[in-house]
Amino acid sequence: MKKNIEISQNIETLFGTRDENLHVLEDGLNVTIDLKADSIQIEGSPDDVARAEQVFLDYSGLQKAGQQFQNGDLGTMLRMLAADPTATLKGLAEAGRQRSFGKRQVQPKSVNQRRYLEAIERSDMVFGIGPAGTGKTYLAVAMAISALLSKRVSRIILARPAVEAGERLGFLPGTLQEKVDPYLRPLYDALYDMLEPEKVDRFMEKNIIEIAPIAFMRGRTLNDSFVILDEAQNTTSEQMKMFVTRLGFNSKAVITGDVTQIDLPNASRSGLVEAMIVLKGVEGIAFQLFDESDVVRHQLVQRIVHAYDDYKARGEQQLSLQLDAKASGGSGTSALETSSDYTVFPAAIDDRAAGGTRLSE
């Protein structure tokens, strides 16, 4: 099917640098787009052509309404639209406009990020779990600021395990805030990125934005609050149960973490890993998983995450082969022991076979 649509004023701004946005539409929607002298010709299946045409109509309507796209937001929306058959350009743009994020407009940059924001709006408790750089913490802080500025909550509470200090914050110099500052710095960075520094400082002085180390949250009831627990993979089972039961009336909680970066002595004791099992299916709690395709940092970070995932998968496969060889009474010699990539594993395998836990991670 071929369809010609009229070229509207300033429609060329949709095309992107070297028509990169048109290429995104062509690849994502399985259509061919040709620019004519006075029209745009779209060729493809009827459904795909209809979706592509709707993109051009939505863009023209958004332009007339004064919508401005910044910092690659348009390209990001088109990629999300191509990945999600239910999404429209108008819907994505209006969803971002409805949220007030202080001095910065925040747009989700992947389908999972959009689902994450929608889950936070819909559910009282949300777990955001995935690798570094996927926007879990940044978007949680953005939603907290949006809730605070729109007066849906009266305060923001930030928490993070201080694993490196063994939770013994009293041995560190300074006030309570100064003791936990190094551990909460990523949360501060997001706050200062979205609000004026003077406003952040004023909110903190008035405890509108509060620092609440997870070690000292026991016994509290957090009403009318937006609570964020970052680096939740480093909570113990007891700490996680204590935290999720702090939620009071008119409050939301967002728990973020990366289960591949557990710093606890025994990774199997991670409260986040346990919560994923225990709380699955509980009404009012949502889980949003991220993967390497959601990484929004430098493109190299995405490739690094992929490389580590591949390395781990190969190690687990070789470990399984080695254990099978030992169980069958063979010599136990496999590619695992002869490969330089896994020279650290054989001693750990012996412990695992003997019931040890040296390979707990």
Side-chain angles (χ1 to χ4, degrees), residues 13 29 35 78 89 122 131 150 152 156 189 240 243-245 250 266 271 277 291 321 345-346 348 351 353-354:
T13 56
L29 301 182
L35 303 179
L78 293 178
L89 182 60
R122 184 178 61 251
S150 59
R152 297 197 300 273
I156 298 172
D189 290 343
M240 178 60 74
F243 178 84
V244 297
T245 55
N250 191 39
N266 183 355
I277 301 170
D291 56 37
L321 292 174
F345 285 174
D351 285 347

Side-chain angles (χ1 to χ4, degrees), residues 105-137:
Q105 183 175 350
V106 177
Q107 285 285 355
K109 298 186 182 300
S110 71
V111 173
N112 284 333
Q113 286 193 356
R114 180 166 69 89
R115 291 170 179 164
Y116 184 48
L117 295 183
E118 291 172 350
I120 293 174
E121 290 177 333
R122 184 178 61 251
S123 304
D124 290 333
M125 183 174 293
V126 177
F127 288 79
I129 303 166
T134 50
K136 307 181 298 295
T137 301

Side-chain angles (χ1 to χ4, degrees), residues 319 323 345-361:
L319 174 60
L323 291 175
F345 285 174
I349 293 172
D350 291 336
D351 285 347
R352 172 69 66 87
T357 58
R358 283 182 59 177
L359 200 60
S360 58
E361 296 183 1

Side-chain angles (χ1 to χ4, degrees), residues 87-281:
T88 64
L89 182 60
K90 181 179 179 181
L92 294 174
E94 290 182 345
R97 204 164 51 210
Q98 290 168 0
R99 304 182 183 105
S100 174
F101 297 115
K103 65 180 182 180
R104 183 177 291 272
Q105 183 175 350
V106 177
Q107 285 285 355
K109 298 186 182 300
S110 71
V111 173
N112 284 333
Q113 286 193 356
R114 180 166 69 89
R115 291 170 179 164
Y116 184 48
L117 295 183
E118 291 172 350
I120 293 174
E121 290 177 333
R122 184 178 61 251
S123 304
D124 290 333
M125 183 174 293
V126 177
F127 288 79
I129 303 166
T134 50
K136 307 181 298 295
T137 301
Y138 190 87
L139 291 176
V141 173
M143 293 299 286
I145 290 174
S146 176
L148 180 65
L149 296 181
S150 59
K151 301 187 185 304
R152 297 197 300 273
V153 298
S154 62
R155 60 179 174 166
I156 298 172
I157 298 176
L158 309 176
R160 203 179 194 211
V163 170
E164 294 81 1
E167 298 289 1
R168 298 175 181 176
L169 302 180
F171 290 100
L172 299 176
T175 63
L176 177 61
Q177 180 177 325
E178 292 170 341
K179 294 175 191 293
V180 298
D181 269 359
Y183 308 107
L184 294 164
R185 183 50 51 187
L187 299 174
Y188 286 144
D189 290 343
L191 285 172
Y192 283 109
D193 194 39
M194 295 179 211
L195 292 174
E196 299 295 336
E198 298 80 9
K199 182 173 287 188
V200 175
D201 295 339
R202 186 169 67 251
F203 282 165
M204 292 182 66
E205 288 176 4
K206 295 181 178 179
N207 279 334
I208 295 175
I209 297 178
E210 181 184 348
I211 308 303
I214 193 170
F216 302 131
M217 291 186 65
R218 188 175 300 277
R220 299 187 63 182
T221 300
L222 306 176
N223 293 315
D224 200 28
S225 304
F226 197 114
V227 193
I228 299 173
L229 173 60
D230 193 28
E231 297 290 336
Q233 76 274 7
N234 289 327
T235 60
T236 64
S237 174
E238 294 78 10
Q239 286 176 326
M240 178 60 74
K241 181 181 178 182
M242 179 268 293
F243 178 84
V244 297
T245 55
R246 299 305 97 199
L247 202 64
F249 295 105
N250 191 39
S251 292
K252 281 184 179 289
V254 178
I255 297 101
T256 68
D258 178 1
V259 294
T260 68
Q261 296 190 26
I262 298 173
D263 298 320
L264 294 172
N266 183 355
S268 63
R269 294 184 62 245
S270 169
L272 179 60
V273 173
E274 183 179 78
M276 293 171 65
I277 301 170
V278 174
L279 301 180
K280 182 179 180 180

Side-chain angles (χ1 to χ4, degrees), residues 313-324:
R314 292 198 307 271
E316 290 175 347
Q317 182 180 12
Q318 295 286 4
L319 174 60
S320 177
L321 292 174
Q322 179 71 356
L323 291 175
D324 289 344

